[in-house]
């Protein structure tokens, strides 16, 4: 019959309280609760940070492509030929050309700097989901030579215009006239408004037909870039390799990780700092284990001496008390994992309940674009947090366990 090691049996037995050492048991319980709360908070916050990161990434990539291909000087000639090739590559879900340029929009005495994106409505839906962000109008309203323009809602509010109003686009490309060098001006009609929920787009992006943008910015038949949308946004490296193998042309390739590198690095930095701050809660609970184990070792001096007398080795004594401390840490970590996973998976129910109970909103819809707290549970985060709790608990048990192993039987039993 299989028998458990006596170190494990004694370590488990010592975790159960007796009336005479109730205070030690109380500290043990507080350590378990502390570790559980720390793990729960860390798993929950990591999931919420992942949720915000995914939400912001989706909003950004709804309005822009995963990759852009261009030639020297941000010009791309004969984009139709390149379009036919890239559409056949693995992971490429869609492609569309664009003509980009910076300028100023004026309406009355109001002036705003804008990024003008010339698009082909029949292609643009392959790479960006602009149509779902439209508040007024349709993408199909953009027709060649109609000189219609679609503005972000904040940009329109800043200019004081709405659908049907006229705005003037001032392009940096100058025109030579008998009066000298004059800026290029073109009158556009506001045909629609969109709202993404990102200040970068809503306040500074304007959409026009690609042919109109080519005329205004003097691009001729060239475009600024060919945009690609992938079936997996993390497959950019594989697509780069496919382009290098299949296209005999010098291209400048930029992907979403480069275009928004600083933004996503900032989010990742915040996530790491939150991890460090909340890990301190687990560390404090682990230090409680040290004090608990020191008191247990002091309380069990007689038992340790008896075990040493009947042949238990110092290593066995050390193992007994390490088992006791690890049980505290493992139980606390398991409770924390259950709590953290439960909260993370039900955050869409828990948050509205708290808001209704106390009558307030964490993120009011009239102030914040993201009015709901998102959550995206990554199991690798759960394993990292639980591993951290286990390691800290293990380290916390080493000193008390070594102290117990150094107990001398004669000294401990002298006054018994």
């Amino acid at each position: 019959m299989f028998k458990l090691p006596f170190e494990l049996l004694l370590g488990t037995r010592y975790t159960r309280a007796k009336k005479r050492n109730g205070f030690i048991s109380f500290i043990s319980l507080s350590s378990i609760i502390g570790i559980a709360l720390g793990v729960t908070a860390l798993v929950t916050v990591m999931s919420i940070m992942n949720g915000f990161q995914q939400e912001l990434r989706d909003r950004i990539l709804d309005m822009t492509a995963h990759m852009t291909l261009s030639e020297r000087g941000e010009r791309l000639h004969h984009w139709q030929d390149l379009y036919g090739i890239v559409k056949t590559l693995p992971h490429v879900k869609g492609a569309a050309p664009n003509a980009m340029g910076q300028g100023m929009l004026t309406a009355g005495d109001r002036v705003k700097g804008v990024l003008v994106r010339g698009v082909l409505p029949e292609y643009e839906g392959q790479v960006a989901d602009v149509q779902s962000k439209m508040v007024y109008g349709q993408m199909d309203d953009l027709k060649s030579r109609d000189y219609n323009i679609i503005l972000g809602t904040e940009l329109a509010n800043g200019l004081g215009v709405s659908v049907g109003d006229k705005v003037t686009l001032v392009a940096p490309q100058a025109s030579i006239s008998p009066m000298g060098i004059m800026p290029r001006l073109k009158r556009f009609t506001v045909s629609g408004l969109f709202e993404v929920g990102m200040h970068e787009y809503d306040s500074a992006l304007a959409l026009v037909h690609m042919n109109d943008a080519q005329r205004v910015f003097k691009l001729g038949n060239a475009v600024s870039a060919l945009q690609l949308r992938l079936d997996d946004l993390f497959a950019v490296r594989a697509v780069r390799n496919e382009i290098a193998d299949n296209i005999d042309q010098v291209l400048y390739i930029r992907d979403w990780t480069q275009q928004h590198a600083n933004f996503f690095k900032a989010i990742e930095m915040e996530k790491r700092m939150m991890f460090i701050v909340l890990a301190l809660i687990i560390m404090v609970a682990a230090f409680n284990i040290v004090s608990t184990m020191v008191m247990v070792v002091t309380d069990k001096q007689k038992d340790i001496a008896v075990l040493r007398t009947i042949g238990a080795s110092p290593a066995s004594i050390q193992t007994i008390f390490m088992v006791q401390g690890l049980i505290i840490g493992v139980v606390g970590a398991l409770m924390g994992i259950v709590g953290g996973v439960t909260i993370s998976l039900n955050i869409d129910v828990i948050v509205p309940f708290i808001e209704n109970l106390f009558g307030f909103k964490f993120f009011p819809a009239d102030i914040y674009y993201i009015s709901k707290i998102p959550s995206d549970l990554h199991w690798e985060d759960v394993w990292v947090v639980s591993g951290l709790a286990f390691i800290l608990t293990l380290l916390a048990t080493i000193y008390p366990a070594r102290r117990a192993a150094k107990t001398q039987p004669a000294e401990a039993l002298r006054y018994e």
Side-chain angles (χ1 to χ4, degrees):
M1 183 177 178
F2 176 75
K3 293 184 179 180
L4 293 174
F6 81 94
E7 294 93 346
L8 180 60
L9 293 173
L10 282 177
T12 305
R13 180 181 177 183
Y14 283 170
T15 58
R16 295 195 292 268
K18 293 182 179 180
K19 291 183 179 180
R20 67 186 181 87
N21 56 5
F23 179 69
I24 297 176
S25 299
F26 171 77
I27 297 180
S28 299
L29 180 62
S30 67
S31 300
I32 293 175
I33 294 175
I35 291 176
L37 289 176
V39 172
T40 298
L42 198 46
V43 171
T44 302
V45 171
M46 295 285 283
S47 299
I48 292 175
M49 292 294 292
N50 291 334
F52 274 112
Q53 185 175 14
Q54 181 180 9
E55 182 76 16
L56 292 172
R57 184 175 61 218
D58 290 345
R59 293 194 179 204
I60 290 174
L61 296 182
D62 276 346
M63 290 295 292
T64 186
H66 295 161
M67 299 182 70
T68 60
L69 311 180
S70 63
E71 295 175 328
R72 180 178 298 178
E74 294 189 354
R75 295 289 185 271
L76 182 64
H77 299 83
H78 310 295
W79 66 268
Q80 295 89 344
D81 298 335
L82 185 60
Y83 175 87
I85 298 175
V86 298
K87 281 284 288 183
T88 63
L89 299 180
H91 297 295
V92 177
K93 186 178 180 180
N98 68 18
M100 304 286 287
Q102 294 182 341
M104 292 188 298
L105 279 181
T106 66
D109 59 350
R110 299 185 181 185
V111 180
K112 292 287 183 180
V114 295
L115 176 65
V116 180
R117 182 192 297 175
V119 300
L120 292 177
E122 60 270 26
Y123 287 87
E124 189 67 13
Q126 297 184 35
V127 298
D129 189 18
V130 182
Q131 183 58 47
S132 66
K133 310 299 181 183
M134 295 294 296
V135 179
Y136 299 102
Q138 303 289 329
M139 283 292 293
D140 292 336
D141 294 336
L142 299 179
K143 300 182 183 301
S144 180
R145 294 185 181 275
D146 280 359
Y147 292 100
N148 289 331
I149 190 170
I150 298 175
L151 306 178
T153 51
E154 290 188 26
L155 178 59
N157 290 335
L159 292 171
V161 297
S162 187
V163 176
D165 294 336
K166 301 288 185 178
V167 293
T168 300
L169 174 61
V170 182
Q173 290 80 4
S175 298
I176 300 176
S177 69
M179 301 295 293
I181 299 177
M182 302 292 291
R184 291 179 63 83
L185 307 176
K186 188 59 187 178
R187 196 81 161 164
F188 283 82
T189 302
V190 179
S191 62
L193 302 175
F194 65 83
E195 183 173 359
V196 180
M198 291 287 294
H199 180 76
E200 176 183 356
Y201 295 119
D202 292 340
S203 65
L205 180 63
L207 304 177
V208 301
H209 195 277
M210 190 178 77
N211 294 342
D212 297 341
Q214 287 173 323
R215 296 187 190 97
V216 172
F217 296 114
K218 290 185 174 182
L219 295 177
N221 293 324
V223 298
S224 298
L226 184 65
Q227 302 173 294
L228 305 183
R229 190 167 191 86
L230 313 181
D231 57 6
D232 180 5
L233 59 89
F234 297 105
V236 289
R237 185 182 296 275
V239 175
R240 279 177 177 269
N241 295 333
E242 289 290 338
I243 292 174
D245 294 338
N246 292 275
I247 298 176
D248 186 16
Q249 182 180 352
V250 178
L251 294 173
Y252 294 90
I253 304 175
R254 296 188 66 193
D255 58 61
W256 65 274
T257 60
Q258 296 170 321
Q259 293 171 337
H260 307 282
N262 292 335
F263 181 78
F264 290 112
K265 284 180 181 178
I267 295 178
E268 193 65 29
M269 180 64 71
E270 291 179 3
K271 182 179 175 181
R272 291 178 182 176
M273 294 307 299
M274 290 298 296
F275 180 90
I276 294 173
V277 171
L278 293 175
L280 294 176
I281 299 176
I282 303 177
M283 192 174 296
V284 170
F287 279 123
N288 282 341
I289 295 176
V290 177
S291 60
T292 301
M293 297 303 300
V294 168
M295 287 188 289
V296 169
V297 170
T298 303
D299 185 65
K300 300 293 184 181
Q301 288 287 313
K302 179 181 176 181
D303 295 352
I304 296 171
V306 171
L307 289 171
R308 289 295 308 277
T309 302
I310 62 177
S313 66
S316 297
I317 300 298
Q318 181 173 334
T319 303
I320 290 171
F321 289 95
M322 289 186 69
V323 166
Q324 181 182 359
L326 287 176
I327 289 175
I328 295 173
V330 170
V331 171
L334 290 176
M335 291 173 58
I337 290 172
V338 172
V341 170
T342 302
I343 294 174
S344 299
L345 294 178
N346 296 278
I347 198 74
D348 56 336
V349 177
I350 296 173
V351 171
F353 173 77
I354 296 175
E355 291 177 339
N356 293 331
L357 183 63
F358 294 100
F360 76 97
K361 294 287 185 181
F362 287 105
F363 297 101
D366 56 342
I367 299 177
Y368 299 98
Y369 287 117
I370 301 178
S371 57
K372 297 181 180 179
I373 298 180
S375 177
D376 182 21
L377 179 66
H378 292 178
W379 284 104
E380 57 266 28
D381 291 339
V382 176
W383 307 137
V384 168
V385 172
S386 57
L388 174 66
F390 179 82
I391 291 173
L392 289 177
T393 302
L394 178 63
L395 294 176
T397 61
I398 292 177
Y399 169 74
R402 289 178 63 86
R403 180 178 174 182
K406 293 179 180 179
T407 300
Q408 298 298 324
E411 291 291 333
L413 296 175
R414 174 179 296 177
Y415 302 105
E416 295 294 334

